[in-house]
Each structure stands twice: as structure tokens, then as C-alpha cells.
Amino acid sequence: LVEQRDKLQRLNDAKDEFISLASHQLRTPATAVRQTIGMLTQGYVGNLSKEQSRILDIAYASSVRQLEIIEDLLRVAKVDAGKVYLETVPCDVVKIIDTVIKSQIILLNNRHQKVHFNKSQKKVIAAVDQKLFSMVIENLLDNASKYSPDKGQITIQIEQNDEQTIISVQDTGVG
């Protein structure tokens, strides 16, 4: 049993190493593609037609999503290896959620989906790991969009009291 456990541990370590190495190797060309598309959309090589801009916006959103998947792979490898540490600091979670919504607006617009963010008029401060919190909100919004029909609605609600901050995401999709 000890021998089998050691063999399984070595295989698991090799898997984690492969995921980490592959993710790092994929990140460099994916970043270059995203930067090149960004330069094109910003007019570095001349003006673009509306159709060219629209297609490049879709390509840019796809390249951003590809980089997010690569980052997710790295996070999974870190979680499996027990190397994830939360760095919680007080953050304005409304601002973080607004930023996530803006980062996915092209994809949402392409699907003709609307996001309604019911937020408090005052700042909502919570101790969170900003990167991981953003990732969770991105995943929730991405899943809500994926499983909602075109012209669907996604509602994000945030409430805070003395003890907790509650964030809910509803969509008009299946399930």
C-alpha cells in the first residue's frame, strides 16, 4: 500500500508540474495575441471598418477568455499542490463586481444579454482576496451568461449587514 501511495503521489506531482508548465507556456503566446488585437483595435495600423472592429472585439474577448482559462489551470494546479493562500484585505466589493461586469460586457453584448446590478448606494467593504473574489464573480457571471438564452437577463444583488455580505447571481437560463 505504501508503494502504491508513493507511486500515486509521484503521478499526481507529475500532473501538477505538467499543468503548471503547460499553462506558463500557453500564457506567453496568448498574451501576445491579445496585445496585438488590442493594438489593431486602438488604430495603431490605421482605421478599421465597423465590421473589422466588431470581429476584432470578438477575437479580443476570446483571447481574454483564453488567458482566463490558462490562469484557472494555474490556480487548479496551485490548489492541488496546497499552494493557495488567501490574502484578504478590506475591498470595495461593488467596485470589483462592476469591473468584472465591464470586463465581460463584449461577450454579454454579443449574446444580447443584460446585466442588472442591484447595488447599495454606499460602499460595501468586505475582507476578501481580491484576485480570487474577482475569479469567483467572473465564473458566476460567465456561467449565468453561458446558460442563459440570447436576450437573457442576469441579476446580481448585493446586501450587507453587520455580520455578512451576501452576493447572489440570478439568470433566466435553465436550472
Side-chain angles (χ1 to χ4, degrees), residues 13-28:
D13 290 346
K15 174 205 54 136
D16 291 344
E17 180 69 23
F18 172 76
I19 290 172
S20 181
L21 181 62
S23 298
H24 283 290
Q25 293 299 317
L26 290 169
R27 186 188 300 156
T28 301

